[in-house]
Amino acid sequence: MTQINRKLLVTLGLSWVGFAIAGLLITLLFPIPTVAVLIDRSYCPPDAWKQVVQQYDTLYSQHQQKHLKIQQVVVFSDLGEDVLPSIPSGDEIQALSTYGRQNLDHRSQLATQYPNAQLLSCPT
């Protein structure tokens, strides 16, 4: 009976090692995509701002489910830009105030600075 237990333990051990190697290979071969989120906080009517927040909520839920990784969030307007220190929730984005005018030059400059970026802006 001792030999049967030993074979069972060896089989189980090798199975777990195989699963661990398979998991490692999957994470190396199929990495989670990373994005930066650029949020244009130029003036936006409250109803239109809700659409921006809904788009961010979609990205944030994908981030929480580990379908994608939000590397950083940059909020900007014609007065400047801020790189947020942590990944905010949708409620925190909802609470942001919108001000200023859209600056397309600044937007395109940020898009080149962050090549894998998702741009969220007020629908026009």
Side-chain angles (χ1 to χ4, degrees):
M1 181 141 179
T2 314
Q3 194 167 2
I4 294 174
N5 287 340
R6 182 178 294 160
K7 286 183 180 180
L8 179 64
L9 290 176
V10 168
T11 303
L12 285 175
L14 290 175
S15 298
W16 281 108
V17 168
F19 281 127
I21 291 172
L24 181 64
L25 286 174
I26 288 172
T27 58
L28 290 176
L29 296 176
F30 304 106
I32 297 172
T34 58
V35 297
V37 179
L38 305 176
I39 301 175
D40 185 354
R41 65 187 285 192
S42 302
Y43 177 73
C44 189
D47 290 337
W49 184 247
K50 286 180 184 178
Q51 292 178 9
V52 173
V53 173
Q54 287 173 348
Q55 292 173 350
Y56 180 79
D57 276 338
T58 302
L59 291 173
Y60 187 71
S61 67
Q62 290 176 353
H63 172 74
Q64 287 184 318
Q65 296 169 358
K66 304 208 186 298
H67 294 290
L68 87 105
K69 180 181 179 194
I70 297 176
Q71 187 175 18
Q72 61 190 15
V73 177
V74 179
V75 293
F76 69 96
S77 71
D78 62 339
L79 300 177
E81 65 188 68
D82 290 320
V83 177
L84 301 181
S86 62
I87 307 303
S89 67
D91 292 336
E92 293 172 285
I93 298 299
Q94 175 80 33
L96 290 175
S97 59
T98 60
Y99 55 85
R101 297 184 195 147
Q102 286 189 347
N103 185 339
L104 298 178
D105 291 335
H106 190 208
R107 181 188 291 187
S108 63
Q109 181 185 32
L110 284 174
T112 57
Q113 187 177 350
Y114 298 97
N116 290 338
Q118 284 284 92
L119 174 65
L120 306 179
S121 65
C122 187
T124 55

